[in-house]
Amino acid sequence: MDGLFLGFIARELNAVLTGARVEKVQQPERDEVHILFRGACGPRRLLLSASAGCARIHLTETVKQAPMEPPMFCMVLRKHIGGARVLGVRQVGGDRLVEIEFACEDELGQPSSCILSCEVMGRHSNIILRSAQGRILDSIHHVGADISRVREVKPGLPYLPPPAQEKLDPFSPELTEEALCAALRDGAARLDVALAGALSGLGRESAQEIAFRLTGEETPVTDAQLRRRLCGPLLAMLRQMPGWGPPVLLLDAKGEPEGAFAFEQARFSRREQKAMPGPSACAEAYYRMRDARARMESARNALARSLRTHLERCEKKLAIHEEALASEEKAEQLRVDGELLTANLHSLSKGREQAEVFDYYQNKTRVIALDARLTPAQNAQAYYKRYRKMRAARENALLQIDGLRAEQYLLEGYLDDLRKCERPQELGEIREALYQAGVLRAPRQRTKARKTPPSSPMQFLLPNGEKILVGRSGPQNDRLTAGAPPDAVWLHAKDIPGSHVILLCRGEPSAQALGAAAMLAAYYSKAYRASQVPVDYTLKKFVKKPSGAAPGRVIYTHQRTLFITPDERAVEALSAQERA
């Protein structure tokens, strides 16, 4: 959200909120404030965020749960602007700073005013309330001298605006063609870089769009060319720009928002853009998706950390048990040493560090180490004790190792499933399966959680009409395989955690369809980075789920095997074909 977009937001807020009164103030997040206004345009909710990652200001329809005890900044806002009327909303100097002026009353009941500043400046973002006299009443982030020697932000201190940059206000009425030429004269060779360095609040994307509209490309230009050709058209463009619209969302290959702009972008095709009714609606849609992605990524990472911790624990136990299984020969040697010492007790005495005895198993003389502090009999018993301990460890390993290998396979499978999850619903299914398996401890809930509908598998449609379904997780794999028709082709990476893949076709599948399904089975497996992955395929009627097996675990017969090299571009081509 650069200064250009904020200018459109500020003009929208000024038109909608001027004259409206503050009805409610809430602070649902540590760095986010919601203000409910009521005026001629009806109730409107304003969101102000000072988050380092997504600082912004815009109207919103999202209602968040407020904490039981409001934070101090929220209470200060309620005290000073509760019931106040909005006098106006303005952008300062074309930069990333929006101010809302309120008509309110002071502590003596006399008419007064205060200003709420929203500074959208990355990690330096802040929301500051100041009095008409310029004193800071409070801020959502306090900035002391230990954080910034340039500008302190604390209650009671005089308000200082953010340090000014030597740039031109692109929407100032006093801006002239001569000033533009002078500012761009010493700019970088690329026009978009020069524009961003000369005009206040202009972000990289906005500068690229303006440069494209002026030249048709990012053209390196000389001073003479700038003066003669571009300064006049640029000034005319800046004069007209506040009336441009509508705002648009830039959509990615999946049709989801990956950018928000105040007007249609000439650099991109119209198919990639979606018009929105207003700047706030555009920002709301973009940040809703961005917040959802951030929350999804945070939940995915937290679950992955827990799984890796359990997997490391499981691998350590497995290594110990495998070492115990491999120690059979060593344990037998301890028994023989104890037996030889017992047979030669009559010739040994205490205080010796080694004993030379005849080994009648190997028909030769051997030296056995002794503990000088123990008697010969005690040394023999020590060897027997170590033998019994190693034998018990081996017997325990035989009992535990199969279960640990199954647990390792399960955890590796769920870690791979996390890579494929795209929705919170799918993460929830994995988390619930881990609760039921005892891998994670289920949280205590005071109220019964609302049951959500089951998630759906990935779907790919081939040109000949054949359809391929791919599961994203163990629970989804179970539902996918159980619901597939008996004559459908079932595929899975051989002996590797991965997705169940169902190829729906009439009769014998084509080689193209079978190859595409095998490619998906290889790519959506743990071995997706391998040079070659064996993929088994059989009919679904030959796939069975053993009673009590973990989600996604099945047994199958009558299989054949293909060897596939996973190719991300081939999978993306299948995805693009499905969207088309």
Side-chain angles (χ1 to χ4, degrees), residues 23 35 52-53 93 102 154 186 229 297 341 421 459 483 497 514 531:
E23 188 171 281
I35 305 176
F102 295 91
K154 284 185 176 181
D186 299 325
R229 294 176 50 209
E297 197 60 29
L341 287 175
C421 288
Q459 179 175 297
L514 194 60
S531 59

Side-chain angles (χ1 to χ4, degrees), residues 143 158 242 257 346 352 377 487 521:
V143 181
H346 63 282
R352 298 175 62 175
D487 58 346

Side-chain angles (χ1 to χ4, degrees), residues 334-344 360-361 380 383-384:
L334 289 172
R335 184 191 66 78
V336 170
D337 288 350
E339 185 177 312
L340 293 176
L341 287 175
T342 303
N344 291 274
Y360 39 77
Y361 289 103
Y383 273 97
Y384 281 128

